[in-house]
Every structure is written in structure tokens, then in C-alpha cells.
Amino acid sequence: MKIKVSQLDRLLFLLSEKTKESLDRAGLRNMASQIGGISEDYLYKKLFYVIRGMNKEHSLSLRDAQLNSVARFIGFKNIRDFISASLAPADEQLRSLVGNYLAFVRQNSAQGLIFQSPVEIKESEGQFVMSLKGPSWTYQGILKIKHGCLFIHLETPENKSFYHVYKIGTSRSPKVIQGIFSGVSTAFDPIGGRAVLLKVNEHAGSLKNQAMHIRELSKSTVLEHKKLAAYFKDYAKNNLSINKIISFGMEDLEDS
């Protein structure tokens, strides 16, 4: 099949992002090992070495089989699906968000606990997907930008879900993103509050769920921890919940 150099360049870039390997001989060897059924020589000699310095609009004739394997590995059905996605004008602002993050929210109580959760944003089949790993479930949702805000409906296969909305304006690759989450508690009560995404350089597998007390964070020598402690300090500014429901009548609105 015919495929443009620009598309091959993008294919190798996504492969590097997926495997966290560099685009050199050693990195391509490790990539081939992870894909399986693809040789190091194919990635290096047929793709990487050939397209170096070549005009981006030039096209090469390559066999579908190996390209299909690479495309499937990075999340596409096949190479034709990858090409179709590459022809559509992808949102470069969304693409700039690809990477690993830590998400922070305050527990819906007066105890002063901040929950930390690993988050990964990646490109898959022409869409941008957020994965948030909780203590029991992993939530996933497609990113959409409207009016300078990022909207994500995060769901699990068990139908547990949360909505997240973040302010990003026109920024690219923001380091810290502020937002709001809403969902239900473990007792199935509606809850909401402020959320923070902090972009990190660590590999996704090294990021952990953690519960941290605001009192301890405020004493930390790590600047990010002190900033988070100050941001989440006040319960009233960070958490929202409803009154206890007894009758579904007006008396439920009275302060208890």
C-alpha cells in the first residue's frame, strides 16, 4: 500500500510514546520485541532509516501486514484505520495533553484527606482518552473541549462514573489544570468538588494511589505538596454534598 512519510513519522512517534522507548536503534529493537512478529530490521531499515530527511509528502509502497501489526499495537484496528484518523484534522490542543498526571481531590469529609490518583491521557483510534486509576476501579472517558473547558465523562465497566470539567482556555501542555468533579459517593449520595491535575514525567506504572493528610502536606519541603495543602485546606471551598434525604419534601432542605 501507499503511505506518506508524514504518516510513517507519526506512526513511529506514537509507537515511541506507547513503549516509552527512544527512536534509535536500541529503542526500535525494544519496540519490535514488545509488538511481536516484527523485526528490529523492519522498524529500523524499512521505516526509520528510510524516511530520515525525506520529504514529508513523499509516499512509499509498503506491505500491509507489518504495518497492521504496528497500528494495532498503538490502538488502531489496522493501518488503513490509522491513515483515516491521520487525514482528519486532529485537535492539537488535545494532543498537547497526552501524558501522565496525578489527580488530586479532597475527601468529602472534615478529616482533611487528599486523595491522589494516577491519570494517563493518550491518543487511541483518533480520539483522546483519559484513564484514572482508583483504588478499586479504573475509569476511562473521551476528552472533549468546548468553550475553553475540557469535559470528560469517566466510567468503569461496572457502570460507576464521574464527570470532570477542567479550565484550559487555549493553553498547550499545561502543567497544572484546575477543575470540578461530580459523581456519587460509596453511599450513593451526589457529591462534587474541586480537582487538580498535575502533569508528571514519571512512567504511568510508577504512579500510585495515595491518601495524604493536609496537615502533613503543609509541612512538606516539596513545593507542590505545600501548594496542594493550601489549595485544599478549606472544606467549604472544596467539597459539595446534599442534605440527608428523608421524605423528598421541603423539610429535607432544612439545616439539620
Side-chain angles (χ1 to χ4, degrees), residues 160-204:
K160 189 171 177 62
S161 68
F162 278 91
Y163 290 88
H164 283 231
V165 181
Y166 294 94
K167 176 69 174 181
I168 61 170
T170 59
S171 64
R172 301 289 194 274
S173 301
K175 172 70 174 177
V176 178
I177 313 175
Q178 296 182 56
I180 301 291
F181 78 91
S182 63
V184 295
S185 69
T186 52
F188 302 106
D189 290 318
I191 57 172
R194 299 201 293 192
V196 170
L197 285 178
L198 174 64
K199 196 165 191 177
V200 295
N201 294 322
E202 289 89 341
H203 188 276

Side-chain angles (χ1 to χ4, degrees), residues 200-240:
V200 295
N201 294 322
E202 289 89 341
H203 188 276
S206 68
L207 303 178
K208 305 296 182 183
N209 291 97
Q210 192 175 352
M212 303 171 290
H213 202 286
I214 290 174
R215 182 176 58 252
E216 298 302 321
L217 286 180
S218 64
K219 300 175 183 178
S220 173
T221 57
V222 179
L223 179 61
E224 286 86 352
H225 288 175
K226 295 177 76 70
K227 293 285 188 180
L228 287 167
Y231 185 76
F232 287 110
K233 181 180 178 181
D234 295 327
Y235 175 81
K237 290 183 178 180
N238 287 281
N239 298 88
L240 185 66

Side-chain angles (χ1 to χ4, degrees), residues 19-49:
T19 60
K20 307 302 180 185
E21 297 285 350
S22 57
L23 283 169
D24 54 26
R25 191 68 184 255
L28 291 164
R29 182 186 306 117
N30 293 333
M31 293 179 206
S33 176
Q34 291 186 49
I35 296 170
I38 294 287
S39 69
E40 170 196 344
D41 279 351
Y42 178 80
L43 290 180
Y44 183 75
K45 293 182 179 179
K46 295 288 187 181
L47 301 183
F48 178 75
Y49 186 80

Side-chain angles (χ1 to χ4, degrees), residues 30-225:
N30 293 333
M31 293 179 206
S33 176
Q34 291 186 49
I35 296 170
I38 294 287
S39 69
E40 170 196 344
D41 279 351
Y42 178 80
L43 290 180
Y44 183 75
K45 293 182 179 179
K46 295 288 187 181
L47 301 183
F48 178 75
Y49 186 80
V50 170
I51 67 174
R52 288 192 309 175
M54 191 176 285
N55 188 298
K56 299 294 185 184
E57 294 304 308
H58 186 75
S59 294
L60 298 177
S61 293
L62 297 170
R63 293 179 58 188
D64 286 16
Q66 290 93 335
L67 291 175
N68 284 338
S69 296
V70 178
R72 281 193 292 268
F73 182 78
I74 61 174
F76 294 85
K77 295 177 183 177
N78 50 46
I79 190 60
R80 296 186 185 279
D81 186 43
F82 167 79
I83 291 173
S84 295
S86 70
L87 292 175
D91 191 319
E92 291 303 321
Q93 188 178 16
L94 283 173
R95 181 166 287 133
S96 78
L97 301 176
V98 169
N100 297 322
Y101 298 78
L102 288 172
F104 299 93
V105 299
R106 177 175 169 142
Q107 183 189 48
N108 192 39
S109 74
Q111 293 183 29
L113 284 178
I114 297 176
F115 292 138
Q116 169 186 296
S117 302
V119 169
E120 181 182 15
I121 296 177
K122 61 183 179 181
E123 186 175 355
S124 178
E125 297 186 10
Q127 294 180 313
F128 295 87
V129 180
M130 174 185 283
S131 297
L132 185 151
K133 185 179 182 299
S136 303
W137 297 282
T138 295
Y139 301 79
Q140 286 194 326
I142 297 170
L143 279 65
K144 297 180 180 179
I145 293 179
K146 294 181 180 179
H147 308 298
C149 286
L150 187 65
F151 294 81
I152 317 107
H153 180 203
L154 293 164
E155 298 181 283
T156 73
E158 295 81 11
N159 292 321
K160 189 171 177 62
S161 68
F162 278 91
Y163 290 88
H164 283 231
V165 181
Y166 294 94
K167 176 69 174 181
I168 61 170
T170 59
S171 64
R172 301 289 194 274
S173 301
K175 172 70 174 177
V176 178
I177 313 175
Q178 296 182 56
I180 301 291
F181 78 91
S182 63
V184 295
S185 69
T186 52
F188 302 106
D189 290 318
I191 57 172
R194 299 201 293 192
V196 170
L197 285 178
L198 174 64
K199 196 165 191 177
V200 295
N201 294 322
E202 289 89 341
H203 188 276
S206 68
L207 303 178
K208 305 296 182 183
N209 291 97
Q210 192 175 352
M212 303 171 290
H213 202 286
I214 290 174
R215 182 176 58 252
E216 298 302 321
L217 286 180
S218 64
K219 300 175 183 178
S220 173
T221 57
V222 179
L223 179 61
E224 286 86 352
H225 288 175

